[in-house]
Amino acid sequence: MRFLPFEYLVIETNLNPEQVQRRLAGIVGSRQPVPPFFSFSAWLSTRSTDILYYGTVGELDFRIAPPVGSKNPFMPIIVGRVHPEESGSAIHITMRPGTVMLAGTILCLGVVVYQLFQMLSDILFSVLQIITLPSLPFLDPLTCGALFLFGYALAMAGFKMESTAARTILRELFGETRSFERENRYLGM
C-alpha cells in the first residue's frame, strides 16, 4: 500500500514451518525489558544484542515489534502467518504502525483538516453574505495544506524507513527464495 502506512509482504523460503519458528524464536524476546527506575546504565548493560524483536511466536503465526529504545516511534508491528508449501514455506507478513503512533497522526492531521474546513466554511459564508466575519481565520488554505502534507510526509517517511529495515532483516533471516509485495490488500490478517 503505497500511500498508507501499511505493508503486506510474502516471503517464500525453502525452510519448513518448524525451522521458520526456530529462527524467529532465536531473535524474538518474550517481552521488552523495563529499565530500572534509577539505573539507566544498568539497563543498557543488560540488553541483549541477539534480541531484535519482542513479541510472541506460535507454531504457524507470530506478532512481533522492534524494541523502541532510542529509535524513532514509527517502528512497525509485524504480524505474520506461515503457510506450509511443497518446497518449504510461504510467510505472509503485514506491517502496520503502532496504535499510539497511528492515533497521534490521525489526531494531528484531523486538527489540520478541521481547521481547513472551518476556514473554508467561514469564507463561503462571508462570500454568500449569510454572516459577516470581523476578520479572516488564523490559517489560510495554503498553510493548512502545507501542514497536512508535512505531517503526512513525516509519518510516512518514518514508517517506511523502519519497515524497510525490518523487511531486510526478515528476508535475510528466512533466506528467501522469492519475495513479492502486494498492494491494495486488506489492512489486517
Side-chain angles (χ1 to χ4, degrees):
M1 297 188 182
R2 192 168 293 155
F3 301 111
L4 291 175
F6 293 92
E7 292 188 13
Y8 183 75
L9 171 73
V10 177
I11 297 175
E12 292 184 358
T13 180
N14 293 329
L15 303 173
N16 62 31
E18 294 80 23
Q19 291 171 323
V20 169
Q21 180 187 17
R22 278 196 304 271
R23 285 196 181 188
L24 270 174
I27 64 164
V28 175
S30 60
R31 65 184 184 102
Q32 187 168 353
V34 178
F37 188 65
F38 289 109
S39 179
F40 186 70
S41 61
W43 175 64
L44 285 177
S45 64
T46 59
R47 292 181 66 186
S48 172
T49 56
D50 295 340
I51 303 296
L52 296 177
Y53 296 100
Y54 292 96
T56 58
V57 178
E59 288 183 31
L60 294 176
D61 61 346
F62 57 92
R63 179 183 167 93
I64 57 177
V68 176
S70 62
K71 295 183 181 178
N72 86 37
F74 299 105
M75 289 189 267
I77 294 176
I78 304 166
V79 179
R81 182 169 299 278
V82 181
H83 296 282
E85 292 187 344
E86 293 175 8
S87 62
S89 301
I91 306 160
H92 297 255
I93 299 170
T94 301
M95 294 187 208
R96 66 172 183 78
T99 306
V100 173
M101 183 282 230
L102 190 58
T105 302
I106 289 172
L107 178 69
C108 290
L109 295 181
V111 167
V112 172
V113 169
Y114 172 77
Q115 177 66 29
L116 178 65
F117 282 130
Q118 183 69 32
M119 185 210 41
L120 291 177
S121 67
D122 289 347
I123 291 172
L124 179 66
F125 287 146
S126 66
V127 168
L128 296 176
Q129 295 180 353
I130 296 174
I131 59 172
T132 58
L133 296 174
S135 64
L136 289 175
F138 178 70
L139 297 175
D140 62 355
L142 188 59
T143 306
C144 284
L147 283 174
F148 182 84
L149 289 176
F150 175 74
Y152 174 77
L154 181 67
M156 288 298 295
F159 177 79
K160 293 295 183 179
M161 185 173 60
E162 291 295 332
S163 67
T164 301
R167 189 179 328 127
T168 303
I169 290 170
L170 292 173
R171 285 178 173 164
E172 289 174 3
L173 177 70
F174 298 129
E176 72 175 338
T177 57
R178 194 172 69 134
S179 176
F180 60 94
E181 297 176 27
R182 292 186 189 169
E183 292 186 17
N184 301 324
R185 181 78 171 161
Y186 60 93
L187 298 180
M189 262 193 131

